[in-house]
């Protein structure tokens, strides 16, 4: 598995996001800042859909680096209990089927879905849906 950036995911069989815990306050952020003030911490795989919106148009490039053939996607805000809220795409859920409070799990996804060599980005899927 090759993440879009180093230090985003653990290398476990079932990867997790790597957040950063502020050494002074204990507050957790994602991603982990490159600073001695933060210690890396593996985040929960499971969370809840806290809020969401649907990205219905192709974002401006740069910074957008996704597929040229645009498909709308759900931009999810996932609450990882007691840790942090993470923004990431929600895959495997119809645009009209997302529900605030639904259980989700971390499921890295290819940036370019049609490219078998694509880097992976942080993403979530409905809990119970195979990765």
């Amino acid at each position: 598995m090759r993440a879009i950036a180093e230090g985003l995911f653990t290398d476990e069989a079932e990867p997790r996001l790597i957040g950063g815990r502020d050494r002074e306050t204990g507050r957790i952020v994602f991603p982990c800042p490159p600073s001695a003030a933060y210690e890396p911490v593996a985040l929960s795989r499971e969370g809840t859909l806290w809020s969401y919106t649907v990205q219905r148009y192709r974002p401006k490039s740069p910074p957008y680096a996704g597929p040229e053939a645009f498909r709308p996607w759900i931009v999810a805000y996932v609450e990882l209990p007691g840790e942090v809220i993470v923004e990431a795409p929600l895959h495997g859920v119809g645009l009209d089927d997302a529900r605030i409070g639904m259980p989700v799990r971390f499921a890295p996804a290819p940036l370019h879905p049609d490219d078998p060599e694509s880097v992976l980005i942080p993403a979530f899927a409905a809990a119970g849906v195979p990765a």
Side-chain angles (χ1 to χ4, degrees):
M1 173 171 63
R2 192 172 51 113
I4 193 166
E6 268 189 58
L8 287 181
F9 315 150
T10 64
D11 61 359
E12 300 167 276
E14 291 186 46
R16 297 188 279 170
L17 290 171
I18 299 173
R21 180 181 291 123
D22 185 303
R23 293 177 191 275
E24 189 174 311
T25 67
R27 179 175 170 251
I28 296 175
V29 297
F30 175 79
C32 184
S35 164
Y38 290 88
E39 65 177 316
V41 59
L43 301 176
S44 299
R45 288 184 185 95
E46 307 284 328
T48 10
L49 186 60
W50 183 79
S51 190
Y52 70 96
T53 190
V54 177
Q55 179 72 37
R56 296 189 186 275
Y57 61 91
R58 188 176 193 282
K60 191 172 155 183
S61 292
Y64 179 74
E68 193 64 37
F70 179 77
R71 290 178 237 160
W73 74 82
I74 297 171
V75 179
Y77 298 89
V78 174
E79 182 176 17
L80 301 176
E83 296 175 336
V84 68
I85 294 174
V86 175
E87 176 188 342
L90 178 63
H91 292 284
V93 176
L95 299 180
D96 296 324
D97 297 328
R99 298 288 177 259
I100 291 174
M102 71 186 288
V104 296
R105 65 170 172 72
F106 181 60
L111 175 61
H112 299 279
D114 299 327
D115 177 1
E117 301 297 315
S118 179
V119 294
L120 297 176
I121 59 172
F124 288 83
V129 175

